[in-house]
Amino acid sequence: MKILLFSVTSAFILLFTLPIAYAQKDTTKKAKVIININIGGSKIFSHSKKDSVAKIDSTENERFFSGITFTRLDFGFSKLVDNNSFALSPSNQFLDYRSSKTSHISFDVLQLGYRFTPQFKFYLSAGFDWTIIRLRQNITMQKNMSTLNYINEPVVFSKNRFSSSYLHIPLNFEYRTKRDKNGNRFYVVASPEIGFLLNAKVKQITTERGKQKEYDDYNFAPFRFGCAFRMGYDGIGVFAKYYATDMFDSAPQKGLKNMAFGVTFGLN
């Protein structure tokens, strides 16, 4: 897994730097590379609030763009989908969870893309996401098992979290309208994405044992494929994600997938 993640990261860095090398080598063409650092969709290099919309557009309309970013920050809920049903099958009842406390968090930190027109662009990005399942039952997931397994505990957990973290690499296709009289836009973004498991964790709290944390892969799928959809206005919107691959690389959980939905910040 570490070799695979190193290969993926190296490939992404190569893709990230190619347009810069190309632009430096070929000075006869008008293609430009703009490297921006963004936080929540706002460029931190913008030192003055008096920048006009025209000046901002002159930067945003460059063909090639790449850079470090902190955008597409998603906060929402996660739902398990058991063979096309929100009801868990008998073999997966031990994963019964508190819907209002089962969450999804993600953000992007790198991006590389090409703008075809002022309204349409596509870009490859990379970032991280977490799915945090708040289990109802007093169970503990077992480490180093060939399948997803658990034991019943003689204590009551005030908190029993079962979570996974992925490196995700989406390919985003974005359409944005022209600016309105307030200088804002509507955005629509569709994104197929792949993901690679970084780690998984069990976090529990009891009166008897205090706070406990255990790390393992817990048979979460090492590779994941899914898609995301975002729409919003002025950097704020909503998102929905669905993962087509099984959530766990464990035969009894075949057909168990997950999805997420919520609010997103930093559309740009």
Side-chain angles (χ1 to χ4, degrees):
M1 177 57 68
K2 290 183 179 179
I3 295 175
L4 179 60
L5 285 175
F6 176 78
S7 301
V8 171
T9 304
S10 300
F12 186 80
I13 292 173
L14 179 62
L15 287 172
F16 175 71
T17 55
L18 274 176
I20 299 175
Y22 173 79
Q24 291 175 340
K25 182 178 179 181
D26 191 351
T27 59
T28 64
K29 295 186 178 181
K30 294 182 179 180
K32 296 181 180 179
V33 177
I34 300 298
I35 301 178
N36 292 317
I37 299 180
N38 300 308
I39 297 181
S42 300
K43 298 177 180 62
I44 66 174
F45 289 150
S46 295
H47 59 279
S48 173
K49 293 184 179 180
K50 296 180 180 180
D51 291 339
S52 66
V53 170
K55 184 176 180 180
I56 294 172
D57 283 343
S58 69
T59 300
E60 290 182 347
N61 289 337
E62 298 295 343
R63 291 295 186 179
F64 284 105
F65 59 93
S66 60
I68 301 170
T69 186
F70 184 70
T71 52
R72 292 170 291 280
L73 177 60
D74 299 333
F75 290 99
F77 300 101
S78 185
K79 295 284 290 184
L80 303 190
V81 183
D82 195 339
N83 290 284
N84 301 317
S85 172
F86 289 127
L88 294 174
S89 62
S91 60
N92 291 322
Q93 276 298 316
F94 68 95
L95 289 170
D96 189 23
Y97 60 98
R98 302 181 189 278
S99 299
S100 62
K101 296 183 178 181
T102 294
S103 57
H104 176 88
I105 303 170
S106 75
F107 56 84
D108 289 346
V109 295
L110 289 174
Q111 62 184 11
L112 161 69
Y114 182 80
R115 184 177 286 104
F116 287 96
T117 70
Q119 279 70 53
F120 177 74
K121 64 180 178 180
F122 80 96
Y123 48 98
L124 190 68
S125 58
F128 306 95
D129 64 67
W130 292 262
T131 297
I132 304 169
I133 303 171
R134 184 71 175 269
L135 297 172
R136 288 182 179 274
Q137 299 188 37
N138 297 311
I139 61 174
T140 297
M141 299 299 175
Q142 297 299 282
K143 298 169 60 174
N144 303 315
M145 304 293 287
S146 59
T147 60
L148 184 62
N149 208 342
Y150 68 96
I151 59 171
N152 290 298
E153 295 281 15
V155 295
V156 176
F157 294 109
S158 59
K159 182 178 294 184
N160 193 1
R161 290 181 176 178
F162 185 37
S163 62
S164 62
S165 174
Y166 280 81
L167 165 69
H168 63 239
I169 304 176
L171 178 61
N172 306 279
F173 297 89
E174 179 180 308
Y175 173 79
R176 61 185 186 178
T177 63
K178 293 182 179 180
R179 293 187 183 276
D180 59 21
K181 63 181 181 180
N182 296 318
N184 300 319
R185 308 175 188 267
F186 283 97
Y187 296 84
V188 177
V189 187
S191 314
E193 74 169 48
I194 59 174
F196 301 90
L197 181 67
L198 297 176
N199 62 49
K201 179 174 72 174
V202 168
K203 180 179 180 180
Q204 299 171 322
I205 298 178
T206 61
T207 301
E208 295 86 352
R209 302 173 184 175
K211 184 185 297 184
Q212 295 179 302
K213 295 180 182 179
E214 294 291 341
Y215 296 88
D216 191 52
D217 63 13
Y218 290 105
N219 292 101
F220 277 96
F223 172 81
R224 186 182 69 186
F225 174 78
C227 58
F229 178 80
R230 294 179 176 87
M231 62 183 300
Y233 173 76
D234 188 25
I236 302 174
V238 295
F239 79 91
K241 300 178 182 180
Y242 179 77
Y243 299 103
T245 49
D246 288 347
M247 192 173 185
F248 296 97
D249 190 21
S250 179
Q253 281 68 53
K254 184 174 179 58
L256 182 65
K257 308 177 190 301
N258 68 313
M259 61 176 293
F261 56 92
V263 295
T264 186
F265 302 91
L267 292 173
N268 64 341

